[in-house]
Amino acid sequence: WSVEVAHARKVRDIAPLACKTDKVDARVLAELSRRELVPALWVPTIEDRAIRERLRRRAHLVKLRTSARNRIFGLLTQFGLRVSFTRLRRPDAIELLERRGVPAVWRDSIAEHLDQIEELDRRIAPIDRELAPLARSDSRAQLLQTIPGVGALIGLTFAAEIGDVSRFASASKLVGYAGLAPRISQSGERSATGRLSKAGPRTLRWAAVEAANQAWRPTNPFHEHYRRLAARHGKNPAKSAVARKLLITSWHMLSRNQVFQPARSTTAAASSSRFLAA
């Protein structure tokens, strides 16, 4: 058997139906298959799917841990306290909060969240031990780690979520797949861009934005691009723009099997832009 997974949205575009039932859908898919017109989805290998599941499980646990930490700081804020998380991990942290005047009910809540964080740390540690050798043995992840701000886990996430880069005809196709391209509304000669589409895999989009969080550093090659956009549009749109730059860079690196090479200087880029405009 040769199994294909059809793209539901594209099937509706090819064969819109006024009456939609399981029997009608099966007949439409059979007819499209007979004519070899099925818009099939790309299915990753079982190895990439296993890596994706490990990464997504880790991301879920990290999200729960972050939520517990934020909850602790929110409880302390009610009493005007700011205590570092490192200090809260010490054995005498609850006694410290008692001396600072935090009532017993709030201390119990904080202690409960600290226990949750310790349990989540215990669950995340073996996943990190599983992912470390996978990141070292994956040539794609090693290649992507040459990008400043992209570590082992982010590089492995990029590699597993992108998969076979040849399925994207251009870098813009990868950006659209990740859901980081803005929506475009067109009517006649009028065209307007809106919010990000967020139509692709959430994990790839998260990894790109997470790597873009390092763009504020002056040593980052995308620092000037981030600073210029942040001054005009704010930090979040600037991070989204840097995330798109990272995906475009990743597409070129994986397509050419080349390590990261910083762009030319701003002066050279500006002079070439003036030459092209002329």
Side-chain angles (χ1 to χ4, degrees), residues 217-230:
R217 300 180 184 274
T219 55
N220 192 286
F222 303 106
H223 172 71
E224 286 300 322
H225 182 65
Y226 169 80
R227 186 182 60 81
R228 187 169 57 253
L229 291 178

Side-chain angles (χ1 to χ4, degrees), residues 130-152:
E130 292 177 8
L131 291 173
L134 293 174
R136 288 193 297 267
S137 62
D138 194 309
S139 59
R140 301 168 301 174
Q142 290 293 315
L143 194 67
L144 294 171
Q145 286 180 53
T146 60
I147 304 175
V150 176

Side-chain angles (χ1 to χ4, degrees), residues 264-278:
R264 293 176 299 172
S265 63
T266 307
T267 305
S271 62
S272 67
S273 298
R274 288 194 296 268
F275 173 78
L276 292 174

Side-chain angles (χ1 to χ4, degrees), residues 70-82 100-103 105-107 109-110 113:
N70 292 339
R71 172 71 175 156
I72 290 174
F73 293 134
L75 292 172
L76 293 176
T77 302
Q78 297 181 27
F79 299 93
L81 295 178
R82 289 182 64 88
R100 296 284 185 88
V102 179
V105 175
W106 281 263
R107 294 200 306 271
S109 296
I110 293 173
H113 289 308

Side-chain angles (χ1 to χ4, degrees), residues 15-62:
L17 300 174
C19 176
K20 189 178 185 305
T21 63
D22 291 343
K23 186 180 293 187
V24 173
D25 285 344
R27 186 173 184 84
V28 168
L29 289 173
E31 185 65 23
L32 291 176
S33 181
R34 184 181 70 84
R35 300 185 184 186
E36 297 183 354
L37 293 176
V38 175
L41 290 172
W42 176 80
V43 180
T45 63
I46 190 65
E47 291 80 10
D48 278 348
R49 291 169 59 189
I51 294 174
R52 286 183 180 187
E53 182 54 36
R54 286 190 180 96
L55 289 167
R56 291 173 182 178
R57 174 154 42 101
R58 183 187 184 280
H60 175 69
L61 295 176
V62 170

Side-chain angles (χ1 to χ4, degrees), residues 50-66 120-132 134-135 151-157 161 203 206-207 210:
I51 294 174
R52 286 183 180 187
E53 182 54 36
R54 286 190 180 96
L55 289 167
R56 291 173 182 178
R57 174 154 42 101
R58 183 187 184 280
H60 175 69
L61 295 176
V62 170
K63 185 178 180 180
L64 293 177
R65 184 176 64 183
T66 304
L120 290 170
D121 286 340
R122 188 183 64 82
R123 292 177 179 270
I124 292 172
I127 303 177
D128 288 340
R129 288 194 294 268
E130 292 177 8
L131 291 173
L134 293 174
L153 289 178
I154 297 296
L156 186 61
T157 302
E161 292 292 339
T203 308
W206 166 83
E210 189 71 15

Side-chain angles (χ1 to χ4, degrees), residues 81-237:
L81 295 178
R82 289 182 64 88
V83 183
S84 67
F85 187 71
T86 303
R87 182 65 182 87
L88 290 173
R89 298 296 294 269
R90 295 180 184 176
D92 62 337
I94 302 303
E95 288 77 6
L96 172 67
L97 297 180
E98 183 178 4
R99 293 195 299 270
R100 296 284 185 88
V102 179
V105 175
W106 281 263
R107 294 200 306 271
D108 292 342
S109 296
I110 293 173
E112 180 68 27
H113 289 308
L114 289 173
D115 291 341
Q116 291 177 1
I117 291 172
E118 289 184 4
E119 176 64 20
L120 290 170
D121 286 340
R122 188 183 64 82
R123 292 177 179 270
I124 292 172
I127 303 177
D128 288 340
R129 288 194 294 268
E130 292 177 8
L131 291 173
L134 293 174
R136 288 193 297 267
S137 62
D138 194 309
S139 59
R140 301 168 301 174
Q142 290 293 315
L143 194 67
L144 294 171
Q145 286 180 53
T146 60
I147 304 175
V150 176
L153 289 178
I154 297 296
L156 186 61
T157 302
F158 272 33
E161 292 292 339
I162 293 174
D164 184 8
V165 73
S166 63
R167 64 195 180 102
F168 300 104
S170 64
S172 60
K173 296 290 185 181
L174 175 58
V175 173
Y177 171 76
L180 286 171
R183 292 189 177 95
I184 298 178
S185 176
Q186 293 180 330
S187 178
E189 297 181 356
R190 186 185 66 84
S191 178
T193 57
R195 296 179 179 273
L196 300 180
S197 64
K198 298 184 179 180
R202 182 180 302 175
T203 308
L204 178 58
R205 189 164 55 251
W206 166 83
V209 174
E210 189 71 15
N213 283 329
Q214 303 297 322
W216 61 270
R217 300 180 184 274
T219 55
N220 192 286
F222 303 106
H223 172 71
E224 286 300 322
H225 182 65
Y226 169 80
R227 186 182 60 81
R228 187 169 57 253
L229 291 178
R232 287 189 297 174
H233 305 290
K235 293 182 179 180
N236 288 337

